Amino acid sequence: MQPPFEMKEYSEMNKHEAKEHFNWFKQQIPSRLEQLGAFSQMHLDYSHRSLIDIWEWYLRNVQIQNKSTSELEEEYSRTSKWMKEYINDKKVSTQSKAFTLDIGIYLGEVVKSNHSGLDWGLIFKPKSYISVNRPVITGLTNETDMDVIMIVTNKMYLVLDGERNPNALFDIYHTWEKYI
């Protein structure tokens, strides 16, 4: 899922660049979900129960690799001293990263489909906000937004650490329902 323009870190985008990326992102959603359904050979029905099925599929198919010595050295060189102990010597394959993104999109679509008033949106301020300029689900109560892609990415990192909870996304869905 490579945009047809130079991709910057979200925190470094100006408002125009963030909107351009967001518009491109929204256009990609149908094809990404179609590909996810084809690869997983699942009918994605947008039910909250389908989150268990898609995450079980991911857990069966995620490809975990060891980082090379040069990858680890580079990561250590650009990481703060206090964070070095959290560096993982494993990574997921490029294809598994793509599935992580697609499942994040699917989680967003499940949340949207089951609760009126929610949609994909952008948060521009404050610039220090972790999800600034990122596609998130907006319209939740208490001015909260749901960064579904970051949520699934964090679950991917837990998989690298050995967590294999097939209910992980289903549980997240129900945890976030109190904000909807």
Side-chain angles (χ1 to χ4, degrees), residues 12-23:
E12 296 174 9
M13 291 180 182
N14 63 38
K15 195 172 187 177
H16 173 76
E17 291 165 332
K19 284 181 179 179
E20 181 181 27
H21 175 268
F22 178 74
N23 291 335

Side-chain angles (χ1 to χ4, degrees), residues 102-156:
D102 294 345
I103 292 170
I105 292 169
Y106 182 64
L107 174 59
E109 290 295 306
V110 169
V111 170
K112 261 183 44 172
S113 296
N114 289 286
H115 301 282
S116 63
L118 304 182
D119 203 357
W120 291 99
L122 288 172
I123 308 297
F124 298 112
K125 292 182 181 181
K127 280 292 200 181
S128 61
Y129 182 51
I130 194 163
S131 297
V132 72
N133 297 332
R134 296 173 57 88
V136 296
I137 299 299
T138 59
L140 289 80
T141 59
N142 300 331
E143 297 182 27
T144 303
D145 57 81
M146 187 178 185
D147 191 337
V148 289
I149 294 167
M150 188 177 296
I151 288 168
V152 176
T153 299
N154 288 337
K155 288 298 174 188
M156 175 203 68

Side-chain angles (χ1 to χ4, degrees), residues 6-123:
E6 180 187 348
M7 185 66 183
K8 294 181 177 179
E9 292 292 325
Y10 288 104
S11 60
E12 296 174 9
M13 291 180 182
N14 63 38
K15 195 172 187 177
H16 173 76
E17 291 165 332
K19 284 181 179 179
E20 181 181 27
H21 175 268
F22 178 74
N23 291 335
W24 171 82
F25 172 85
K26 284 203 50 161
Q27 290 174 349
Q28 301 303 307
I29 290 173
S31 64
R32 298 306 303 183
L33 294 181
E34 182 179 322
Q35 288 180 33
L36 179 61
F39 270 100
S40 66
Q41 297 180 344
M42 292 178 56
H43 171 66
L44 303 175
D45 66 4
Y46 301 93
S47 69
H48 62 276
R49 304 272 318 152
S50 69
L51 295 170
I52 296 170
D53 297 333
I54 197 68
W55 196 244
E56 283 179 333
W57 172 83
Y58 181 82
L59 293 174
R60 284 191 312 272
N61 291 283
V62 64
Q63 297 171 353
I64 298 174
Q65 306 166 334
N66 290 321
K67 291 179 184 171
S68 68
T69 303
S70 62
E71 287 174 310
L72 285 169
E73 287 173 355
E74 180 191 343
E75 198 168 346
Y76 276 109
S77 72
R78 58 181 167 83
T79 302
S80 302
K81 185 177 179 179
W82 67 275
M83 288 291 294
K84 289 187 189 310
E85 69 182 277
Y86 299 105
I87 293 175
N88 197 317
D89 62 347
K90 299 195 180 314
K91 65 180 182 178
V92 298
S93 69
T94 302
Q95 184 179 41
S96 292
K97 278 185 187 174
F99 291 140
T100 302
L101 172 63
D102 294 345
I103 292 170
I105 292 169
Y106 182 64
L107 174 59
E109 290 295 306
V110 169
V111 170
K112 261 183 44 172
S113 296
N114 289 286
H115 301 282
S116 63
L118 304 182
D119 203 357
W120 291 99
L122 288 172
I123 308 297

